[in-house]
Amino acid sequence: MSDIQTRPAFLSDEDELAELDRGNWSPLYAVNARPQAPFDPFFDAAHRPEDFLVGELGGRLAGYIRVVPPTPLPTNAHVLQIQGLVVDPWARGHGLGRALLRAAAVLARERGARRLTLRVLGHNAPARRLYETEGYVVEGVLPEEFLLDGRYVDDVLMGLDLRG
């Protein structure tokens, strides 16, 4: 993993991140419709550069992870949530997704979080295995929460205790 780097996203990454996001849309993990032109900006008031970490492999941008509060409630401020993890297919199998998850946990601890949570579609077995190997545990399942391509799919809630 020596040629893998993670870093905060910069505003100048916007075009590459937008292309990465649109180019890797899949019903395996997306619950929204495939993006269509004209495209919304990648960064906006709800998706700020400081919410993202990017992963580079061999100096080339190859993935990102988004870490944000799950709600605006002060009573929930001790929790951060991963709301997006994308690794370009050419970069898979090199540990970039794992590196991004670990960087997200470091970032969450630095921001004072006690927990880091995420949601993953039940049929996304590769992502679920990755999360489990990084210490995430299933904390709940919303059965048949989404209807995707004519199939009902579970929404799996997972969490990581950051206090250890």
Side-chain angles (χ1 to χ4, degrees), residues 22-97:
R22 288 191 302 266
N24 289 287
W25 182 93
S26 168
L28 186 60
Y29 66 82
V31 296
N32 53 347
R34 180 181 296 277
Q36 301 292 322
F39 301 112
D40 292 331
F42 187 80
F43 293 132
D44 59 24
H47 302 85
R48 306 165 309 157
E50 56 266 29
D51 297 334
F52 292 84
L53 295 170
V54 299
E56 297 176 334
L57 181 61
R60 184 175 163 199
L61 194 144
Y64 74 79
I65 193 165
R66 179 173 178 247
V67 181
V68 295
T71 73
L73 301 171
T75 54
N76 191 221
H78 62 286
V79 179
L80 287 176
Q81 187 173 67
I82 294 170
Q83 292 184 357
L85 171 61
V86 174
V87 175
D88 211 337
W90 69 264
R92 292 182 188 157
H94 296 279
L96 185 65

Side-chain angles (χ1 to χ4, degrees), residues 64-152:
Y64 74 79
I65 193 165
R66 179 173 178 247
V67 181
V68 295
T71 73
L73 301 171
T75 54
N76 191 221
H78 62 286
V79 179
L80 287 176
Q81 187 173 67
I82 294 170
Q83 292 184 357
L85 171 61
V86 174
V87 175
D88 211 337
W90 69 264
R92 292 182 188 157
H94 296 279
L96 185 65
R98 187 173 310 282
L100 284 165
L101 282 170
R102 290 177 181 175
V106 169
L107 177 68
R109 283 186 187 97
E110 289 172 353
R111 292 185 177 173
R114 295 169 46 104
R115 292 175 27 78
L116 185 57
T117 64
L118 59 85
R119 298 169 72 167
V120 60
L121 294 174
H123 66 241
N124 192 345
R128 291 179 64 181
R129 278 193 303 275
L130 173 61
Y131 301 143
E132 288 169 359
T133 64
E134 286 301 307
Y136 288 81
V137 296
V138 173
E139 297 179 338
V141 176
L142 302 174
E144 298 185 351
E145 187 72 1
F146 299 103
L147 178 60
L148 303 173
D149 289 338
R151 247 179 70 197
Y152 289 101

